[in-house]
Amino acid sequence: IQMIFQDPYASLNPRERVIDIITAPMLLHKIVGSKEEATARGIEIFRKVGIREEQVSRFPHQFSGGQRQRVGIARALAVNPIFIVADEPVSALDVSIQAQILNLLMDLQSEFHFSYLFIAHDLAVVRHISDEIGVMYLGKIVEQGTKHHIFENPRHPYTQALLASTPKITGDNLERSKPLMGEIPSSVDLPSGCFFNERCPYRKPVCIKVMPEEKEIEPGHRVSCHLYQV
Ligand code: SF4
């Protein structure tokens, strides 16, 4: 299991050349037999993520934000992971660079066949990259299903509000939905019952007392909400 961090400006050791950043885990995990083999493999991985051989002796500060994130991705690939946790890997980057990195992540997945747990707030990014989606509110997954389930048939009131909050352009008009009322409760002083109850337009008396259980409302589509009885 490997990790790609959110902030490429803070997640690379500024005192190490990027070739050393990528070869250290290979040597530590004995994926290669020698420093020379690690360097050759490191250069090959860098090539796959778009870093040229003549750049691999540079320090992190000599790269742009998008290139640094490529180094972070290369570091994750260095030990042949089967699973990569990508924590908001594009949110610190310019929009023009985000698409490049997302496409790179998807190309690498096709080539190396690992899985991602991809954490994001940007729904367009989620839609672009995901197969299965879990929607989280205050640390709890409230709805889980395929991309089709979540984007075409959202069932939890929070998911519905989240999707409705994206502005839509129709003709000459920019449509804005009504925002959710209320504030997100403190995570150290959680509401009783359903965590969403103080902001939910469908709240019932039971919602204030009882945390809803997860229910499978159709194959592969699970929701935690008292509106659904299965
Ligand atoms: Fe709304 Fe009740 Fe469902 Fe929570 S359990 S989302 S308060 S209807």
Side-chain angles (χ1 to χ4, degrees):
I1 294 175
Q2 283 294 294
M3 179 96 186
I4 299 170
F5 295 91
Q6 179 173 6
D7 184 355
Y9 293 89
S11 57
L12 299 172
N13 187 338
R15 293 189 179 84
E16 284 194 25
R17 297 178 191 278
V18 298
I19 189 66
D20 296 325
I21 289 175
I22 191 177
T23 53
M26 291 182 212
L27 293 163
L28 192 69
H29 290 277
K30 300 190 173 37
I31 286 172
V32 287
S34 67
K35 177 92 175 146
E36 292 68 34
E37 200 185 330
T39 301
R41 188 175 139 81
I43 290 170
E44 177 59 19
I45 294 174
F46 274 133
R47 192 184 59 73
K48 285 189 188 297
V49 302
I51 303 282
R52 298 190 306 277
E53 184 171 350
E54 61 267 28
Q55 298 175 303
V56 304
S57 297
R58 294 184 185 171
F59 289 93
H61 74 270
Q62 294 174 291
F63 292 93
S64 67
Q67 285 176 316
R68 285 184 209 207
Q69 199 55 307
R70 289 174 191 268
V71 174
I73 294 167
R75 177 177 58 186
L77 295 178
V79 291
N80 293 331
I82 55 170
F83 186 71
I84 295 179
V85 179
D87 181 12
E88 300 247 23
V90 295
S91 61
L93 305 176
D94 289 347
V95 174
S96 58
I97 307 296
Q98 288 188 3
Q100 291 175 16
I101 297 295
L102 284 175
N103 289 335
L104 171 65
L105 289 170
M106 292 171 81
D107 290 346
L108 292 169
Q109 186 180 38
S110 302
E111 184 172 349
F112 295 107
H113 308 294
F114 46 69
S115 301
Y116 289 117
L117 173 64
F118 194 97
I119 301 160
H121 286 93
D122 184 327
L123 293 176
V125 168
V126 172
R127 188 171 204 156
H128 187 65
I129 202 161
S130 305
D131 301 308
E132 285 276 328
I133 299 170
V135 179
M136 184 176 266
Y137 184 76
L138 276 176
K140 183 172 166 29
I141 298 278
V142 296
E143 182 162 4
Q144 194 171 348
T146 62
K147 176 157 55 180
H148 177 81
H149 289 146
I150 301 298
F151 281 96
E152 308 305 329
N153 188 23
R155 303 294 290 273
H156 192 280
Y158 177 61
T159 312
Q160 291 169 350
L162 207 56
L163 294 176
S165 69
T166 309
K168 295 178 186 64
I169 297 172
T170 54
D172 294 334
N173 301 316
L174 180 63
E175 282 180 27
R176 288 187 187 279
S177 67
K178 276 196 214 157
L180 267 179
M181 302 302 288
E183 297 289 323
I184 300 173
S186 162
S187 56
V188 293
D189 185 19
L190 292 165
S192 59
C194 170
F195 291 167
F196 191 55
N197 81 63
E198 292 170 358
R199 311 176 74 195
C200 179
Y202 307 105
R203 183 172 76 177
K204 305 194 284 186
V206 65
C207 302
I208 302 165
K209 296 191 187 125
V210 182
M211 169 72 81
E213 287 179 7
E214 185 184 88
K215 300 169 195 96
E216 187 161 34
I217 56 172
E218 58 184 313
H221 190 179
R222 293 180 287 282
V223 182
S224 300
C225 175
H226 287 303
L227 293 177
Y228 303 102
Q229 304 300 333
V230 179

